[in-house]
Amino acid sequence: MARINLDTAAVESREQRLGTVVYWDGNALELSEKSGYSKKGKCGSGCNLCEMKGPFTQPSVCSEQMVECQAGNIREAVLIQHAPIGCSASQTFYNTIYRIGLASRGHKVENLRISSTNLTERDMVFGGAEKLRLTIEDVWNHYHPKAIFIGSSCATGIIGDDIDSVTEEYTEKLGIPVVPLHCEGFRSKHWSTGFDQTQHGILRQIVKKPTKKQEDLVNVINLWGSDVFGPLLANLDLRVNYVVDLATVDDLASMSEAAATVAFCNTLGTYLSEGLEQAFGVPQIRAPQPYGIAGTDAWLRDLARVTHREHLVEDFIAREHARIAPEVEKLKKKLGGKQGFIATGSAYAHGLIEVLRELGIRVNGSVVFHHDPIYDSGDPSQDTLAHLVDNYGNVDDFVVSIRQPFQFFTTLRKHNPDFILIRHNGLAPLAARLGVPAAPLGDEHLAIGYNGLINLGNLILEIIERRRFCEDLSKHVTHQYSDWWSAQTDPGILAKHPELIWEGIDI
Amino acid sequence: MTQHPSMKSESISRARYGCAVGAMQSAVAIPGTMPIADCGPGCADKQYASLAFYNGFQGSGYGGGASHPSINTTEKEVVFGGNDRLRELIQASTKVLKADLFVVTTGCISDIVGDDVASVVGEFQRRNVSVVYAETGGFMGNNFIGHEVVVKAVIDQYVGDFSGEKEQGLVNIWTELPYQNTFWRGDLAEIKRVLEGIGLKVNILFGHGSGGVEEWKTIPKAQFNIVIHTWLGLSVAEHLSEKYGQPFLHFPTIPIGSIATGNFLRDVGKYAKIDSKKVESFIESEERDYYKYMEEFSEFFSEYFFGVPSKFAVVTDSAYALAITKFAVNQLGLIPVKVILTENPPEEHRESIREQFRSIADGVSIEAEFIEDGFVIEEEIRNSDRKPAILFGTTWDRDIAKEVGAGVVEVSFPASYEVVLSRSYVGYRGALSLIEKIFTVTIGASA
């Protein structure tokens, strides 16, 4: 695969590296073939994956928010938002998840440490570099952090502040890594570039050349989920190094010493996994993700291979299969035949659909917020979409849509599922108004591994009871959509016929 | 590059407001109205998720959240300008959505690259499409500033000129900032209720008690405007005074409790020339209920074995801080030890705000400080000679409150540990809820 280029401060955007699309509809098999990753469909390569584009759009999420939720959630570090004050509003969100994550992992609960340079109109004229220097000095004097991250903004990107020079100056002056993160929202159409940019900065300036190897240490790239990987990997005599959220700067620095890297979701982990492999020789797992029985089996076997635990893994897998079988059977009886719907990030959706189908739940539709035709390793063994289609069958209605409730309004009414699984804000409120209960999956580890089947099954049993609340609500709400839009059955109609918006208008 | 004219740091950690474009939430607060976010891909989500979600979990309403239009600016619009894309999005919005009024709110990108939003929106206005625009680039100030821009945009571009008769007894209310104030929905309902109680007809303008744009169209007919805030809305009232010849009454203190609310209603009644018997009769009936509860509460307050704390600090915007401080001092007999005002009020209003805190009650005076940075706020509380036992603040203050042993009553943005529906902290009924909250927090933490 392409070299991860650590020479420049700005990461290559996800659409440049992976050909990421944010708007497409069809079925999962077709998308898998057109991606040309492990499957070579009729077209033979990814060249036919045409992205749609329409005239009507609703709010998305930006790369800077993903920088906040990663670099802003590292213990003993500070993130500076080099931006007007509005970019700081989302700190409230990331503070909530940080506090809940700290509590869940047994760390001291405290507010996150993010500071804004608070740029105003005159800074747009004169430039904001001097205010950046003053803010770096503030956070150094206030907190003496072990690292300072500097996130850029749309405003500083346009006025052309030279963040790289300032970070170099202060890396030298303070003797700690001062890391520039170029995350202007307009620069990438999908927010996951913000993950990549944070991880790029960490690879360039935080991760240390290994002085020793820790043969039992595994980097787990995740967010703030509960400690599920720790007990799971203990069965293979392995320890976890959770990164990036809630990690300390030293945890990040020592990633190079680990025996392997895994991720709860390839969308999040693709860049850092590949970077650690290329730059520091830490192997990543060449398997799909640990969701469902087949996925978890394959994932554990590859992890055992890489960490030389083959002697432990088969026995563990057999024990786990036997352990969960009765509980899974019970859940299947209760959930079999129910209809589920998934609306989450891309690779995560692939994993969740596998778990639902193992529980006997029908999944005919899914909305994913983007699609990466390939991952950074370029290794077809990581093709999560093909793994889903090959092992669990096609998903007939597979929509790539970057949130966009107006499309979800059309899609969800068509499917009318018993419940939906959702991650990222923006869509669950609409589902409730349409009478469909949604589980928000704030703890991203809930569905991982063998226990994931049981955890998710039990959660769904709770959630479907909320249908009473949602159905009652749905009888009393007014939707925002016009009669014309409400009558549409194709969520992509405006992309196919953008001229429709001017129908009947004489200009 | 030119040297920066100011060498003073203005950094802010743990911000307690949104930016000017956060005033898209003010458009959302007008029933049936929808913002069109002329912004980057994350701007609308940031403002909504913070002001309306992790702040009492107020919700998106009809026109907010992820449902309103947003340009989600890309590199293309940055380089080539966004006029065509804005035209396309406004037109598409009229096709896909139902809204009585669209309010285009511009963000940093559009304002820096200099898109001609006025002329694009003008094309639609000439076709009688209900759409206005407000220049709310985030670098221009916070959502308090943006709110006044949005309000004036709706008045000037939508409500328009007026030459008809004024309607006696009709008043326009300009008070708390919707969404920023976690309790604005309940508070506005209570303000409307008590003013109707003395016989006025009330244009509350925002929230569930508002009639939406139809109500806004009657703004020019009102007999007068009432500004109930330390400063927000004053420039709107002055604008209306020029535009429609309407006088206005200014109450820096949002009334909480029977004393403040009674005095407020008497002042308004006198100004509106309402029969004082009618005013007194309403006050009497409200006080009858209020004092029944007070009488019963007094048992807890005087007899709770382990005592209840007295010293309190307030860390919030100047209007809520003043309202709470006056109530806590004048009606509960609590003792203020620290007042920190966090919303960055315009310089010209600061001295009058300080004066208000210097005369809370006979013999009770406190020097209010204007601080926006979270670190400095914490240092102020940490180093204060007199430590509070009750801290009226935000989620950001939980750590420092714990450190100094105070209970937190989250009263403003961000209040991420409060689920708020119709709860109010103002007027007669809100005062009762506030008392419940203060003492549930304090005794809840006791053992």
Side-chain angles (χ1 to χ4, degrees):
Chain A
M1 197 49 200
R3 290 297 304 169
I4 295 278
N5 177 12
L6 298 180
D7 294 338
T8 56
V11 77
E12 252 191 300
S13 75
R14 197 162 274 223
E15 49 267 47
Q16 287 170 322
R17 294 190 339 268
L18 309 178
T20 299
V21 296
V22 297
Y23 194 2
W24 186 87
D25 71 22
N27 66 65
L29 174 63
E30 191 190 344
L31 182 61
S32 174
E33 288 181 348
K34 287 196 167 166
S35 299
Y37 194 2
S38 64
K39 287 187 184 305
K40 307 293 177 204
K42 289 172 205 143
C43 55
S45 77
C47 61
N48 281 352
L49 183 58
C50 291
E51 186 168 35
M52 293 159 67
K53 198 169 187 309
F56 184 71
T57 46
Q58 291 163 308
S60 177
V61 166
C62 70
S63 299
E64 197 272 352
Q65 288 168 269
M66 299 306 104
V67 162
E68 264 182 275
C69 104
Q70 293 222 286
N73 273 190
I74 296 167
R75 290 186 287 150
E76 303 167 355
V78 173
L79 169 66
I80 292 174
Q81 297 175 299
H82 187 40
I85 198 63
C87 292
S88 295
S90 38
Q91 286 177 20
T92 59
F93 177 20
Y94 303 115
N95 190 48
T96 297
I97 61 179
Y98 186 56
R99 293 178 73 98
I100 288 172
L102 288 170
S104 135
R105 301 260 188 91
H107 302 304
K108 184 189 169 204
V109 175
E110 57 185 10
N111 289 326
L112 49 66
R113 287 176 181 167
I114 305 182
S115 228
S116 169
T117 53
N118 185 23
L119 300 179
T120 56
E121 192 157 16
R122 52 161 206 241
D123 305 310
M124 297 299 114
V125 179
F126 294 105
E130 203 49 41
K131 268 173 112 166
L132 177 57
R133 289 191 179 89
L134 292 166
T135 304
I136 293 173
E137 286 177 15
D138 278 350
V139 303
W140 175 251
N141 293 332
H142 293 167
Y143 304 114
H144 291 286
K146 289 191 176 170
I148 298 173
F149 294 90
I150 315 286
S152 62
S153 59
C154 293
T156 58
I158 298 172
I159 66 172
D161 273 355
D162 184 359
I163 294 175
D164 293 356
S165 303
V166 178
T167 54
E168 276 168 29
E169 179 188 328
Y170 277 88
T171 295
E172 198 168 316
K173 191 171 168 186
L174 303 177
I176 58 164
V178 180
V179 184
L181 302 176
H182 293 271
C183 53
E184 301 84 7
F186 62 79
R187 213 163 59 84
S188 175
K189 62 192 171 192
H190 195 259
W191 59 73
S192 53
T193 292
F195 292 141
D196 305 337
Q197 177 63 70
T198 307
Q199 297 166 6
H200 182 77
I202 290 169
L203 284 165
R204 289 182 81 230
Q205 289 181 259
I206 307 283
V207 184
K208 290 190 175 138
K209 292 263 178 268
T211 51
K212 57 175 194 284
K213 275 285 174 188
Q214 303 189 48
E215 68 84 31
D216 62 343
L217 189 67
V218 176
N219 300 319
V220 177
I221 303 169
N222 71 330
L223 294 165
W224 46 86
S226 57
D227 180 19
V228 163
F229 282 93
L232 180 66
L233 297 197
N235 290 289
L236 300 182
D237 288 339
L238 292 169
R239 291 179 300 123
V240 298
N241 183 29
Y242 283 121
V243 293
V244 170
D245 290 69
L246 307 172
T248 63
V249 175
D250 290 341
D251 292 339
L252 297 175
S254 67
M255 284 193 288
S256 56
E257 298 173 2
T261 303
V262 302
F264 96 93
C265 159
N266 285 356
T267 296
L268 176 71
T270 175
Y271 192 82
L272 184 54
S273 302
E274 182 65 15
L276 286 168
E277 188 165 298
Q278 283 190 20
F280 300 98
V282 180
Q284 60 189 308
I285 297 309
R286 310 247 166 207
Q289 307 169 122
Y291 294 92
I293 292 172
T296 306
D297 289 353
W299 183 87
L300 280 169
R301 286 192 178 107
D302 202 61
L303 181 59
R305 178 186 64 78
V306 170
T307 57
H308 313 296
R309 260 77 174 169
E310 289 98 333
H311 58 292
L312 296 172
V313 74
E314 291 306 329
D315 186 43
F316 175 57
I317 289 174
R319 273 186 286 130
E320 286 295 277
H321 283 200
R323 180 179 67 83
I324 64 162
E327 192 66 28
V328 170
E329 277 312 306
K330 274 189 226 162
L331 286 167
K332 274 184 176 170
K333 282 204 183 91
K334 291 177 188 162
L335 291 168
K338 296 266 184 234
Q339 198 190 330
F341 191 95
I342 308 282
T344 72
S346 173
Y348 195 47
H350 308 156
L352 291 173
I353 294 169
E354 297 182 351
V355 178
L356 292 193
R357 287 191 171 167
E358 295 232 22
L359 291 169
I361 295 166
R362 288 182 294 129
V363 184
N364 301 328
S366 179
V367 169
V368 293
F369 302 139
H370 78 293
H371 176 70
D372 299 316
I374 54 168
Y375 296 117
D376 281 291
S377 71
D379 190 325
S381 68
Q382 290 185 337
D383 186 347
T384 50
L385 182 60
H387 185 266
L388 164 66
V389 172
D390 290 346
N391 290 280
Y392 297 89
N394 200 0
V395 181
D396 297 336
D397 196 4
F398 204 83
V399 180
V400 181
S401 166
I402 188 157
R403 300 210 306 180
Q404 306 306 307
F406 81 109
Q407 294 187 310
F408 196 54
F409 180 71
T410 305
T411 306
L412 204 59
R413 282 187 306 160
K414 187 162 65 181
H415 288 271
N416 190 27
D418 294 302
F419 67 91
I420 64 174
L421 299 182
I422 233 160
R423 194 172 163 86
H424 281 284
N425 61 332
L427 297 184
L430 173 58
R433 288 165 166 94
L434 285 167
V436 182
L441 295 184
D443 179 354
E444 78 273 9
H445 290 169
L446 189 98
I448 292 276
Y450 302 112
N451 283 341
L453 276 78
I454 297 166
N455 295 339
L456 196 58
N458 284 324
L459 176 70
I460 292 164
L461 285 174
E462 286 181 13
I463 289 299
I464 53 180
E465 294 300 320
R466 293 198 199 161
R467 188 156 197 107
R468 293 187 177 93
F469 172 82
C470 299
E471 273 185 351
D472 176 50
L473 176 69
S474 70
K475 292 174 198 154
H476 301 276
V477 294
T478 311
H479 292 289
Q480 302 92 338
Y481 299 102
S482 65
D483 294 344
W484 178 79
W485 183 254
S486 300
Q488 301 305 315
T489 52
D490 176 3
I493 183 78
L494 280 177
K496 290 161 196 158
H497 298 286
E499 72 283 359
L500 285 173
I501 64 169
W502 295 102
E503 219 176 20
I505 305 293
D506 198 15
I507 44 168
Chain B
M1 183 160 290
T2 317
Q3 188 73 8
H4 197 292
S6 152
M7 292 296 287
K8 192 172 154 286
S9 168
E10 292 170 354
S11 69
I12 292 179
S13 51
R14 301 183 279 286
R16 290 158 195 262
Y17 46 67
C19 66
V21 85
M24 67 176 70
Q25 290 297 135
S26 298
V28 174
I30 305 171
T33 301
M34 267 195 181
I36 295 179
D38 181 7
C39 298
C43 301
D45 184 65
K46 277 171 178 272
Q47 302 301 316
Y48 153 73
S50 53
L51 294 167
F53 196 76
Y54 286 95
N55 183 31
F57 305 97
Q58 301 172 56
S60 54
Y62 182 83
S67 65
H68 63 78
S70 172
I71 281 200
N72 305 334
T73 314
T74 65
E75 209 137 28
K76 186 180 160 200
E77 290 84 43
V78 171
V79 176
F80 299 105
N83 291 352
D84 291 343
R85 176 75 183 104
L86 178 62
R87 184 178 297 110
E88 174 187 71
L89 183 64
I90 296 173
Q91 180 58 31
S93 303
T94 63
K95 184 80 178 171
V96 174
L97 295 165
K98 279 185 298 194
D100 298 327
L101 173 67
F102 289 107
V103 179
V104 177
T105 50
T106 60
C108 294
I109 300 174
S110 170
D111 285 2
I112 297 172
V113 306
D115 286 340
D116 193 357
V117 176
S119 88
V120 175
V121 170
E123 293 168 21
F124 288 89
Q125 290 173 336
R126 281 192 292 279
R127 280 171 38 206
N128 292 322
V129 175
S130 294
V131 57
V132 301
Y133 75 95
E135 287 182 356
T136 46
F139 55 79
M140 315 237 278
N142 65 19
N143 48 329
F144 288 78
I145 302 299
H147 173 74
E148 295 192 334
V149 177
V150 165
V151 166
K152 287 176 193 167
V154 176
I155 290 168
D156 291 346
Q157 297 169 48
Y158 179 75
V159 177
D161 295 335
F162 178 79
S163 53
E165 291 287 301
K166 297 279 187 255
E167 184 180 334
Q168 281 300 306
L170 178 64
V171 291
N172 304 317
I173 304 300
W174 307 100
T175 178
E176 296 171 9
L177 179 55
Y179 291 97
Q180 165 81 25
N181 185 307
T182 323
F183 304 91
W184 71 280
R185 289 176 295 177
D187 287 356
L188 264 56
E190 176 69 355
I191 290 167
K192 182 172 164 145
R193 186 185 75 85
V194 298
L195 288 172
E196 285 177 346
I198 62 167
L200 289 169
K201 193 172 165 197
V202 179
N203 282 339
I204 197 71
L205 304 172
F206 301 98
H208 300 324
S210 160
V213 293
E214 290 308 314
E215 185 185 76
W216 279 66
K217 283 183 190 160
T218 69
I219 286 175
K221 287 168 68 180
Q223 184 188 347
F224 62 100
N225 288 283
I226 307 179
V227 177
I228 316 170
H229 196 279
T230 41
W231 65 275
L232 185 73
L234 279 175
S235 85
V236 172
E238 279 156 13
H239 184 63
L240 293 172
S241 162
E242 270 175 43
K243 194 174 177 78
Y244 302 130
Q246 282 169 331
F248 68 91
L249 260 181
H250 178 208
F251 296 92
T253 310
I254 306 166
I256 304 180
S258 61
I259 298 173
T261 311
N263 290 340
F264 166 76
L265 292 175
R266 286 185 187 102
D267 287 347
V268 174
K270 198 169 161 194
Y271 188 84
K273 300 190 175 65
I274 295 169
D275 181 358
S276 69
K277 276 187 213 140
K278 186 165 186 178
V279 175
E280 290 305 326
S281 142
F282 177 72
I283 290 173
E284 197 186 314
S285 90
E286 288 294 312
E287 289 191 350
R288 197 160 43 233
D289 284 355
Y290 182 89
Y291 281 103
K292 275 181 202 155
Y293 287 113
M294 275 314 112
E295 195 181 331
E296 288 152 358
F297 163 71
S298 71
E299 292 173 31
F300 162 82
F301 205 30
S302 52
E303 200 168 64
Y304 187 66
F305 242 42
F306 310 95
V308 285
S310 279
K311 293 197 185 73
F312 72 92
V314 185
V315 186
T316 181
D317 65 272
S318 59
Y320 233 39
L322 182 62
I324 289 168
T325 304
K326 282 202 167 169
F327 172 67
V329 170
N330 285 309
Q331 274 204 287
L332 297 178
L334 304 182
I335 300 163
V337 296
K338 199 88 193 159
V339 172
I340 297 173
L341 310 177
T342 55
E343 93 279 24
N344 190 22
E347 202 53 52
E348 67 263 31
H349 298 298
R350 291 194 173 197
E351 193 45 37
S352 70
I353 293 168
R354 282 194 195 94
E355 273 307 313
Q356 291 288 335
F357 284 95
R358 287 176 189 140
S359 53
I360 293 294
D362 276 351
V364 182
S365 167
I366 187 154
E367 240 358 82
E369 296 162 90
F370 296 94
I371 310 174
E372 297 156 74
D373 176 52
F375 182 84
V376 180
I377 289 169
E378 285 153 22
E379 286 291 290
E380 274 296 316
I381 295 168
R382 187 175 288 123
N383 299 327
S384 171
D385 295 340
R386 297 200 296 170
K387 297 283 185 294
I390 305 161
L391 199 161
F392 295 97
T394 71
T395 295
W396 293 129
D397 305 307
R398 293 176 83 84
D399 290 353
I400 188 67
K402 197 172 182 182
E403 193 182 313
V404 302
V408 179
V409 180
E410 295 190 10
V411 292
S412 70
F413 172 76
S416 309
Y417 289 81
E418 286 283 337
V419 177
V420 179
L421 285 80
S422 62
R423 198 185 336 156
S424 162
Y425 285 160
V426 309
Y428 293 105
R429 293 180 182 172
L432 303 181
S433 304
L434 183 56
I435 289 173
E436 289 170 350
K437 181 71 192 180
I438 295 168
F439 296 103
T440 300
V441 164
T442 49
I443 69 170
S446 60

